[in-house]
Amino acid sequence: MRLDGVRVLDLSRLLPGPYATQLLADAGADVVKIEDTDAGDYARILPPYTDAGVGAIFDAVNRGKRSVAIDLKTDRGREAFLDLAAEADVVFEQFRPGVVERLGVDYEAVRAVNDDVIYCSLSGFGQDGPHADRVGHDLNYVGMAGLLDMTREDEDSKPQMAGYPVGDMAGGLFAAFSVVGALLSRELGNTGGEYVDVAMTDVVASFSQAVAHDALTGENPRPGETELSGSLPWYDTYETADGNYVTLAALEPKFWETFCAAVGREDLTDAHMTGDPAEREAVREELESLFAERTREEWEQELGETEAMVAPVRTPAEALDSEAADARDLIDHSGTVPRVAFPAQSTAEPDGAAGSPPGHGEHTDDVLEAAGYDADRIATLREDGVIE
């Protein structure tokens, strides 16, 4: 799982693209952020801030990267970018469709100087189709994909997203997977360079596999009415005595039997997977009363180490500051602020992307020098405002 020696030019900003390239950096890739010569990545100034005055999201998804500030709207800036792209393995962009073509740094332009490049475009709705030119953020992608429609609703029937930001993070994750797959395909000799088009809406739609069959065969699955969204009382969430919640996921008969025995309710065992709505509702009422008798932590102490399929619902703060997170080395403390680390462990661990995120244009000179630019040329570009 080591991407040492892989060079990625990252044109993306904010969250989805930088998250994708952060995963690549965590796996050892050399990720070079290509930022404009003004403010750079918007996330640098997006609250909340770290003690260093940097946007916390920027800090979280730009560790170990290098920053080069180039004005791509100038001919010499475009030339400098293509000089860097000629030696890159991956070019990653997250602009709206058509922008890279107008800038002259699109796939065809890069392929002209580097036929083996993996070029990935990550966007909300893809490079083609009826919504390609739409603006969007996470809620748009999740809503368009139908996942927002399948989350729980509050008392006013307002859809509530089950996890934020699903679309951004899922899109970034799948884009990183696609890039690694394309690199592997190239190394195996199956392909050369290739263009990858990832739409965040498409990725979120892929998350709907559990309800896709019904949706594609004439049904209209609704929250609380499908097996995995709450229609089954043995696969749902329940409020506890202290106002917190636990999950019960005893989908398989053996886990339901274990649960019923553990809580002394063997009388409910035979109701598992009943198709009788009235019987299901009666079981749900029994479970609601049962779980309301104890606090979340009391249920965890009693059932957590059994195979009853009961687990506490944690807040993000509780989940990230936990014994489990510590045991898995999930939190990276190497930088100025803690962040969630690469979410996998391997016998071939990469060095990872430790330390702080780069300053705006911090590595412009170093990267251009490595590409063959001498000091006088770099100084001239800076004096003319082409680089920062």
Side-chain angles (χ1 to χ4, degrees):
M1 201 168 62
R2 297 184 67 100
L3 295 180
D4 306 53
V6 172
R7 171 72 62 82
V8 180
L9 297 188
D10 180 10
L11 289 160
S12 66
R13 304 170 177 176
L14 294 176
L15 182 57
Y19 174 61
T21 56
Q22 182 66 67
L23 293 173
L24 301 178
D26 286 342
D30 174 21
V31 177
V32 179
K33 286 182 68 69
I34 305 297
E35 303 186 69
D36 61 63
T37 53
D38 293 325
D41 188 338
Y42 312 141
R44 289 183 178 276
I45 57 172
L46 187 68
Y49 303 107
T50 68
D51 291 341
V54 177
I57 290 178
F58 180 85
D59 189 289
V61 294
N62 288 285
R63 300 284 184 87
K65 301 179 184 180
R66 298 191 287 167
S67 172
V68 173
I70 302 178
D71 185 355
L72 295 177
K73 296 179 181 179
T74 66
D75 290 340
R76 286 183 294 167
R78 184 181 312 110
E79 179 185 357
F81 174 81
L82 292 175
D83 286 339
L84 299 180
E87 301 299 324
D89 295 286
V90 178
V91 172
F92 193 105
E93 67 94 4
Q94 190 195 296
F95 294 111
R96 291 174 65 185
V99 172
V100 288
E101 285 83 0
R102 292 196 297 272
L103 292 173
V105 295
D106 56 298
Y107 175 55
E108 294 302 326
V110 172
R111 190 171 67 163
V113 299
N114 183 352
D115 190 52
D116 287 333
V117 73
I118 306 301
Y119 195 113
C120 181
S121 293
L122 175 63
S123 63
F125 307 101
Q127 300 299 302
D128 52 23
H131 308 306
D133 292 330
R134 283 193 177 191
V135 295
H137 273 306
D138 189 84
L139 278 170
N140 302 116
Y141 317 143
V142 178
M144 290 287 285
L147 188 61
L148 185 62
D149 188 55
M150 279 306 299
T151 60
R152 291 287 191 171
E153 298 176 346
D154 64 14
E155 295 177 354
D156 299 319
S157 296
K158 178 182 177 181
Q160 302 292 301
M161 189 149 60
Y164 182 80
V166 175
D168 286 350
M169 305 306 282
L173 178 63
F174 191 82
F177 167 79
S178 298
V179 166
V180 172
L183 286 169
L184 176 61
S185 179
R186 188 184 71 181
E187 294 306 307
L188 289 173
N190 297 330
T191 58
E194 69 179 278
Y195 179 73
V196 180
D197 171 13
V198 178
M200 285 180 266
T201 307
D202 296 350
V203 177
V204 175
S206 179
F207 280 21
S208 70
Q209 302 294 352
V211 296
H213 175 267
D214 287 349
L216 293 170
T217 55
E219 301 296 326
N220 184 29
R222 304 297 302 142
E225 297 178 3
T226 68
E227 286 78 0
L228 301 182
S229 70
S231 72
L232 302 177
W234 39 84
Y235 198 90
D236 207 349
T237 59
Y238 290 93
E239 187 171 1
T240 56
D242 54 350
N244 287 305
Y245 289 83
V246 295
T247 59
L248 172 63
L251 198 61
E252 297 91 335
K254 64 178 181 179
F255 295 128
W256 177 245
E257 292 172 5
T258 299
F259 168 76
C260 291
V263 298
R265 292 302 306 268
E266 290 87 346
D267 57 304
L268 299 177
T269 302
D270 292 340
H272 193 250
M273 288 301 178
T274 177
D276 183 350
E279 188 174 13
R280 283 187 181 180
E281 186 57 31
V283 172
R284 188 184 307 280
E285 291 176 359
E286 292 292 334
L287 293 176
E288 288 173 347
S289 298
L290 175 69
F291 283 114
E293 294 175 358
R294 301 184 185 183
T295 67
R296 181 186 65 180
E297 294 311 311
E298 287 172 340
W299 283 118
E300 168 65 5
Q301 291 172 12
E302 179 171 347
L303 301 177
E305 299 302 319
T306 72
E307 294 190 355
M309 278 291 185
V310 174
V313 176
R314 303 295 194 195
T315 66
E318 290 171 335
L320 295 177
D321 183 18
S322 67
E323 182 182 359
D326 290 342
R328 295 287 297 171
D329 293 324
L330 183 60
I331 309 304
D332 176 9
H333 295 278
S334 66
T336 53
V337 294
R339 71 169 182 122
V340 178
F342 191 76
Q345 298 182 9
S346 168
T347 55
E349 288 287 337
D351 292 334
S356 303
H360 180 223
E362 178 181 346
H363 304 94
T364 301
D365 289 14
D366 292 343
V367 173
L368 289 178
E369 285 174 2
Y373 283 53
D374 61 30
D376 289 341
R377 187 178 182 186
I378 292 174
T380 299
L381 290 174
R382 181 166 284 110
E383 289 171 5
D384 292 342
V386 177
I387 64 174
E388 178 65 34

